[in-house]
Amino acid sequence: MTAAAKIDILVSEVGPRDGLQSIAAVMPTAAKKAWISAEAAAGVREIEVGSFVPASLLPQLADTAELVAHALTIDGLSVAVLVPNFKGAQRAIECGAHKITLPLSCSESHSLKNLRRTHAQVIEEARAIGELLRSLPAARRPCFEGALSTAFGCTIEGLVPERKVVELAEALMAAGCDEVGLSDTTGYANPTQVRSLTRAVWAAVGRDRLTGLHLHNTRGQGLANVVAALDIGLTTLDASLGGIGGCPFAPGASGNIVTEDLVFLLEAMGYRTGIDIDRLLAVRRLVQAALPGETLYGFVPDAGLPKGFVPAAAQAPALVAE
Ligand code: ZN
């Protein structure tokens, strides 16, 4: 497989950020680098390697700058980072990240609790980041995504009205984001809602400005939601190797959807990911060794690939989704 092979769906690995920020253990930097390299070698094209939050808040991610530098040495890999604010974006740009993601929680109570900012304040940060990006030469300008977190419901406010999510998507685009993404931070989403909310945001900002979905498997609905996303034509899906992070309220539930299970689902359905599933499964050993005592999730890793499994690229053309 070459790095330039055509893919149908971009699997974006968020374990080094979303997974690791959810567990207390600090993974050694060398192990993170090995993880990133091994996943890229398995064919993963985009990895969110960390977050530019103060180390006092998330010591697990204190080495993000070093990881960006490492990931940038890997040919063909899109290097993504989370930025909580303007300062974080400045650091990400200095480091040369390809993609920066600013989260905006659609529930204002959640936003106040997690980012200690109102919606208006986060939009203002987005505007400042947008301005900074416009001042840069095109070659140094990362892609700027506004992530609509708690888009499918919030643990504090419960229901988040669709209208609110659409309004915030429009505000982020007006502030200077290149695209928005929908995040089911709380694991509340169902497939009907995935289709409905995606269509509503598309109608407001344009189909090409929302291509990605970030899912958690808190209630076991993650892969059902993936199928809904595929049905309507979303093309980027976030996942975490081994689903690390888990959920303290739902024992047995992984954190993000599990990369290995996602890749199996996609490839079995005929969607090319560019990922070699056997090599991907082998990365687990490395991650498990670096996180002793931490639970890794996933059904495919336990059960193994079905006998006679044929990845998408090797399937008869009639079976390959277009
Ligand atoms: Zn998440």
Side-chain angles (χ1 to χ4, degrees):
M1 182 184 45
T2 68
K6 191 177 173 330
I7 62 169
D8 302 305
I9 300 294
L10 177 67
V11 172
S12 183
E13 172 63 53
V14 298
R17 196 277 303 170
D18 208 350
L20 292 183
Q21 80 170 34
S22 312
I23 57 181
V26 178
M27 188 188 270
T29 305
K32 291 188 191 180
K33 288 182 181 175
W35 175 7
I36 291 164
S37 295
E39 262 204 70
V44 173
R45 315 277 177 105
E46 183 172 283
I47 302 181
E48 193 172 63
V49 300
S51 173
F52 283 109
V53 282
S56 54
L57 290 179
L58 278 178
Q60 302 96 312
L61 307 183
D63 52 4
T64 296
E66 196 177 336
L67 296 174
V68 171
H70 169 74
L72 287 173
T73 65
I74 302 170
D75 224 21
L77 179 68
S78 166
V79 183
V81 286
L82 198 90
V83 299
N85 50 32
F86 179 78
K87 238 172 113 178
Q90 266 181 322
R91 290 195 62 204
I93 292 162
E94 279 162 22
C95 292
H98 297 130
K99 180 177 174 183
I100 59 174
T101 300
L102 175 76
L104 166 60
S105 185
C106 298
S107 146
E108 196 151 37
S109 323
H110 187 268
S111 182
L112 285 166
K113 196 167 167 226
N114 282 271
L115 297 169
R116 276 167 277 134
R117 283 193 177 84
T118 62
H119 282 160
Q121 287 170 318
V122 180
I123 297 292
E124 197 38 55
E125 297 280 332
R127 208 185 319 278
I129 296 168
E131 210 165 286
L132 171 64
L133 292 174
R134 280 193 300 278
S135 74
L136 298 172
R140 286 195 50 222
R141 214 179 291 154
C143 172
F144 180 23
E145 181 196 37
L148 295 152
S149 58
T150 67
F152 297 91
C154 165
T155 49
I156 308 166
E157 290 186 15
L159 185 78
V160 173
E162 207 167 90
R163 183 182 32 80
K164 182 87 229 166
V165 182
V166 169
E167 216 174 86
L168 292 171
E170 288 174 317
L172 282 170
M173 290 306 296
C177 285
D178 298 310
E179 59 184 75
V180 291
L182 293 175
S183 298
D184 182 22
T185 318
T186 53
Y188 278 23
N190 65 67
T192 303
Q193 200 184 6
V194 165
R195 283 188 284 263
S196 159
L197 188 57
T198 302
R199 287 198 182 105
V201 175
W202 275 347
V205 305
R207 200 178 162 114
D208 57 331
R209 301 298 170 175
L210 166 63
T211 58
L213 185 61
H214 175 98
L215 295 165
H216 283 246
N217 201 38
T218 321
R219 289 171 182 76
Q221 310 304 301
L223 292 185
N225 290 328
V226 165
V227 175
L230 296 171
D231 283 348
I232 51 169
L234 287 170
T235 52
T236 299
L237 294 162
D238 290 359
S240 166
L241 193 92
I244 56 170
C247 173
F249 314 108
S254 63
N256 297 99
I257 54 170
V258 175
T259 309
E260 303 90 308
D261 290 350
L262 172 67
V263 171
F264 169 68
L265 174 76
L266 292 169
E267 291 284 336
M269 288 178 74
Y271 293 94
R272 291 164 296 178
T273 63
I275 299 168
D276 180 324
I277 196 158
D278 288 313
R279 291 184 76 176
L280 182 70
L281 288 167
V283 182
R284 279 172 77 93
R285 286 196 287 277
L286 191 155
V287 172
Q288 183 71 82
L291 290 174
E294 208 59 56
T295 305
L296 261 58
Y297 301 88
F299 289 96
V300 175
D302 284 345
L305 291 171
K307 189 173 179 184
F309 169 73
V310 181
Q315 291 176 13
L319 294 177
V320 175
E322 286 302 335

